[in-house]
Amino acid sequence: MPKAVLFDMDGVLYDSMPFHARAWKEIANRYHLISSLEDFYLLEGRTGESTINLLFQRTFQRDATEQEKQTIYQEKADLFNQYNSGTVMQGALDVLNAVKASHLQTLIVTGSGQHSLFDKVKHDFPGYFEREKMVTAYDVTHGKPHPEPYLMGLEKAGVEAHEAIVVENAPLGVQAAVAAGIFTIAVNTGPLPDQLLLDAGASLLFHDMATLASQWQSIVNQ
Ligand code: MG
């Protein structure tokens, strides 16, 4: 029986990916960095710095300087905050309800790093998450697809990899969870093909959180 469920945040608990992608694309254009809107769904899960560096390598064949990384990331964060509607993903509360009904711990493992994040989570998902059981950009050295964020999630939950389930929407997030040895459910809430999430190692795939909620009991009973 599983004991804990580790939830990714953007694209899983919040319908925020369109705003992240839009903010990233505008910033990339501002700095003449070669990119497509889809790139930012493919790169989801990486740290901001590593995303910026990758675009610099692609465009200018060099690393971004520390100053460039800081400035560009701040501008991206400002734009995201301007666009973000803060909408909770449809069906997310149903999934959390179903998970709670099966008496499992609920944690968040996100590459996001906004200081106000936990207050928002506490407000939107009351009673489901504790601050000390949340892994954010501030807690880790490596972003996804490195397993570190999910390994830290296991540690915070106090469970082994085989006692956990991950819910992820991004290919790199699925890779990170699978690299940490965790059974991973993909919820494809974005524009990428399902096959990318399956190739990344997802064991199950749903197209929305509401369907995952309706199937939850049968998943944990298997
Ligand atoms: Mg995500």
Side-chain angles (χ1 to χ4, degrees):
M1 267 299 277
K3 294 181 177 166
V5 185
L6 313 184
F7 289 92
D8 171 52
M9 194 175 69
D10 291 296
V12 170
L13 296 177
Y14 288 103
D15 195 4
S16 48
M17 271 313 293
F19 308 113
H20 277 294
R22 181 177 167 201
W24 271 121
K25 181 65 184 132
E26 280 190 36
I27 290 299
N29 290 350
R30 188 180 294 173
Y31 285 88
H32 311 290
L33 299 165
I34 299 166
S35 71
S36 68
L37 195 64
E38 191 184 57
D39 281 337
F40 299 107
Y41 289 92
L42 290 168
L43 295 170
E44 186 194 347
R46 281 186 182 272
T47 62
E49 292 198 351
S50 107
T51 296
I52 292 162
N53 214 44
L54 187 143
L55 297 176
F56 265 75
Q57 277 294 347
R58 177 192 288 176
T59 308
F60 304 121
Q61 292 78 51
R62 68 164 175 89
D63 285 340
T65 64
E66 284 309 310
Q67 186 58 53
E68 284 167 334
K69 286 191 251 186
Q70 260 187 34
T71 308
I72 294 174
Y73 188 65
Q74 188 55 52
E75 288 180 29
K76 183 267 166 179
D78 291 344
L79 261 193
F80 170 74
N81 287 329
Q82 189 185 317
Y83 295 149
N84 187 21
S85 64
T87 311
V88 166
M89 184 64 77
Q90 206 180 355
L93 276 161
D94 300 329
V95 173
L96 288 169
N97 246 321
V99 170
K100 202 158 200 180
S102 52
H103 306 292
L104 309 184
Q105 289 187 65
T106 46
L107 292 89
I108 290 179
V109 177
T110 177
S112 221
Q114 295 184 60
H115 288 289
S116 59
L117 209 59
F118 187 67
D119 291 338
K120 187 164 163 41
V121 163
K122 208 168 74 177
H123 175 264
D124 293 331
F125 304 100
Y128 289 107
F129 301 107
E130 296 165 40
R131 176 66 191 97
E132 52 284 359
K133 298 211 169 165
M134 186 165 170
V135 179
T136 73
Y138 300 110
D139 300 305
V140 296
T141 313
H142 307 285
K144 302 167 186 177
H146 195 282
E148 186 189 6
Y150 280 112
L151 292 172
M152 192 169 285
L154 292 175
E155 204 180 297
K156 290 196 176 199
V159 303
E160 302 288 327
H162 69 270
E163 297 171 321
I165 295 175
V166 164
V167 182
E168 259 288 353
N169 70 305
L172 296 182
V174 171
Q175 266 186 49
V178 171
I182 309 171
F183 182 90
T184 303
I185 300 172
V187 182
N188 191 5
T189 58
L192 300 177
D194 290 347
Q195 197 57 45
L196 281 179
L197 291 157
L198 297 170
D199 289 347
S203 296
L204 295 172
L205 185 143
F206 297 94
H207 289 118
D208 54 75
M209 290 291 273
T211 313
L212 172 59
S214 70
Q215 302 290 312
W216 186 260
Q217 209 47 54
S218 63
I219 294 169
V220 288
N221 286 342
Q222 273 173 13

